[in-house]
Amino acid sequence: GIPDQHSSIAEGVLKDIFLVEKGLLEQEVQRQWSELKSEVDCSEGLRKKHEARLTPALANPNRRTDLESLKADEAKRAQALVRTLEDAMQKLGTTFIESRERFLQRLTRGFE
């Protein structure tokens, strides 16, 4: 009867709203993942360069300055990577919250 039709229509609308929001969320998460992967790959390339600079010659006391410089450079790289990962987690959390808000707004549109 009529109530079943309304229920089916409502269910279809809800499903459509969900699928749209799910698609938007997946696109944004994929974009963020690509951005993060690029930054991590760059950091990994820098780590490999630092590793290549780490040679037995740096054990020579006369090269202490070079060793300290390498140590400082690697520490900066590692700290930057940690900040990048922290920022990425924050952005992802914000993305999920914004997605939830958009979903709720779409669900309640017209009921206010």
Side-chain angles (χ1 to χ4, degrees):
I2 299 289
D4 289 337
Q5 277 182 320
H6 290 297
S7 178
S8 293
I9 292 170
E11 188 176 306
V13 169
L14 179 60
K15 184 177 179 182
D16 289 347
I17 291 170
F18 172 77
L19 290 175
V20 166
E21 191 54 47
K22 180 179 178 258
L24 292 172
L25 179 60
E26 286 173 347
Q27 288 175 351
E28 180 58 19
V29 168
Q30 184 60 45
R31 186 195 67 72
Q32 287 182 26
W33 170 249
S34 295
E35 185 179 297
L36 176 60
K37 186 172 180 341
S38 175
E39 291 181 45
V40 169
D41 288 348
C42 182
S43 179
E44 181 62 14
L46 191 54
R47 185 197 62 77
K48 287 179 180 179
K49 286 180 183 177
H50 292 166
E51 192 174 88
R53 287 172 45 200
L54 186 59
T55 64
L58 291 179
N60 182 327
N62 295 331
R63 303 275 313 267
R64 182 173 181 87
T65 304
D66 295 336
L67 181 60
E68 292 298 323
S69 173
L70 175 58
K71 184 178 170 184
D73 290 347
E74 180 56 18
K76 282 188 250 178
R77 181 207 63 83
Q79 288 171 352
L81 181 58
V82 167
R83 277 193 306 277
T84 295
L85 294 172
E86 289 172 345
D87 290 348
M89 288 174 21
Q90 182 66 39
K91 284 180 193 174
L92 188 58
T94 299
T95 297
F96 282 120
I97 290 168
E98 289 170 352
S99 177
R100 181 195 68 207
E101 293 302 314
R102 275 192 314 268
F103 181 69
L104 292 174
Q105 285 175 358
R106 286 185 175 137
L107 281 179
T108 59
R109 194 173 295 148
F111 288 105
E112 291 130 3

